[in-house]
Amino acid sequence: IFSMVPSSLLLLASLVALDTGIGLAQQKNPPQNSPDPQWWTFRGNASRNGLMQIAGPKHPHLLWAATLGGSVFSSPIIGADGTVYVNALDKKMYAIKDGKVRWTFATDAAAGTPQLRGSQIRIVTRTWRLYCVDEAGSKSARFCPPRGGIDDTDITAYGPNGGLYFIDIGGDETTIQGHSGWHVQLRSKATTTPSVSESSGNIYVGSEDGTIYCISREGKIAWTYKIPAKITTPPAIKNDGDIVFTANDGALYCVRDGKLRWKFVTREGGRVFSAPLVDPSGSIYFAAVDIGYVYALTSDGSSIWKLNTPVLSPDASASKLAGTFIVQSSMAVDRQGRLYVVTVEGTLYCISD
């Protein structure tokens, strides 16, 4: 999430994705995981832990592809009726259903991942304008003044008890702050948003020097684990307590209690900036940036499938996707287990069984 994007925009993209832009830190209660939207926010839930509610495809094929009008670094969300919403750098939000762009909504500036609240889609742009858009593309808007500027922002997640945790990035230092007032200073700058376990309440965050931190809900560092590469994505948290995350060495790591359980290498020198998702069985789904594959792994790190990306027409029924495939955003998943992947070049793919 934090790499290969202009600094002001990448922080905003994470900020908006995590619903911090407009007053989240002042809320007393976390946003509820509504039963209506299928994937209502970045990483699917307020804990940002990448947990899916249903298994993903086992025998995947490309169901459809939709071309957007601009580059994309934000992640898709999914409404109750299956409409997918994506913000692009052409200053538009796209509403796509069944592979067709139904409508677009123009904003004053680029924005990060939108969020669904009831029947409203909320967008915050880099100029700090909040747009509340209904499912037909109509809007009301108000201007929100910046709180210290684009590069001085809180990056947040909620715990199972409703506790708010956020990252305060200042210069080369990062502090994790808890809802009860505790602070934890990291040894290097955070490179991921926080993820929170819904069972233990532990908070996980990765850093620039390759350290993954496990912080208890009381604000104590429970353990750390260091890899020889910069951690690039928020950890996904499996039901068995394993956490999985990726790095710019092209590998996905599985760690539990400060010890490496296994490592899946995509390719030497490859990079992965698409945050992994985990289904109820522990299967893992992620995309590699410059390798051209979407991967599905078993809970123990064995390959289930991978989709290649050489050029094919979008209506091809083979397991290859179309176009140049570079992904820097997290995938989304709907109630049918279909995965939605959006490329930097601006193509949204739906992958189905």
Side-chain angles (χ1 to χ4, degrees), residues 60-267:
H61 71 281
L62 177 62
L63 185 62
W64 51 257
T67 301
L68 312 182
S71 299
V72 178
F73 292 95
S74 65
S75 299
I77 61 171
I78 308 171
D81 65 350
T83 300
V84 182
Y85 303 97
V86 184
N87 283 325
L89 293 189
D90 63 351
K91 301 185 289 187
K92 291 180 182 178
M93 183 176 72
Y94 290 79
I96 305 104
K97 189 172 183 182
D98 299 326
K100 307 294 184 183
V101 176
R102 301 301 184 186
W103 51 263
T104 63
F105 177 80
T107 57
D108 69 305
T113 303
Q115 185 179 96
L116 275 160
R117 291 292 190 88
S119 60
Q120 283 189 336
I121 306 105
R122 297 186 179 185
I123 310 165
V124 181
T125 69
R126 66 184 305 172
T127 58
W128 294 90
R129 186 175 295 274
L130 168 66
Y131 293 89
C132 298
V133 185
D134 66 23
E135 293 170 328
S138 300
K139 62 95 177 177
S140 62
R142 65 183 176 90
F143 181 77
C144 299
R147 296 179 298 141
I150 295 295
D151 290 315
D152 183 17
T153 57
D154 302 338
I155 302 175
T156 72
Y158 278 102
N161 61 349
L164 173 65
Y165 307 98
F166 64 94
I167 296 178
D168 182 9
I169 298 177
D172 293 328
E173 297 183 346
T174 300
T175 301
I176 310 296
Q177 302 189 34
H179 61 98
S180 57
W182 54 257
H183 297 68
V184 174
Q185 182 72 50
L186 305 187
R187 291 193 295 266
S188 68
K189 193 171 184 177
T191 51
T192 78
T193 57
S195 301
V196 184
S197 168
E198 295 177 1
S199 56
S200 68
N202 288 339
I203 305 104
Y204 300 91
V205 64
S207 66
E208 196 168 48
D209 70 354
T211 301
I212 191 80
Y213 291 84
C214 173
I215 302 168
S216 71
R217 68 174 74 192
E218 293 78 26
K220 306 296 183 182
I221 296 179
W223 54 259
T224 62
Y225 181 79
K226 190 170 183 179
I227 65 171
K230 182 170 71 173
I231 298 170
T232 53
T233 63
I237 305 171
K238 295 163 56 183
N239 289 327
D240 61 6
D242 288 350
I243 65 166
V244 292
F245 57 92
T246 60
N248 64 359
D249 61 355
L252 182 139
Y253 293 82
C254 179
V255 174
R256 184 191 294 180
D257 297 329
K259 297 180 180 179
L260 181 67
R261 298 204 66 204
W262 51 263
K263 173 183 174 181
F264 180 87
V265 179
T266 56
R267 186 184 72 182

Side-chain angles (χ1 to χ4, degrees), residues 10-31:
L10 63 86
L11 279 178
L12 177 70
S14 296
L15 168 71
V16 178
L18 296 176
D19 190 35
T20 60
I22 305 301
L24 180 59
Q26 289 82 25
Q27 293 180 3
K28 294 183 180 180
N29 299 304

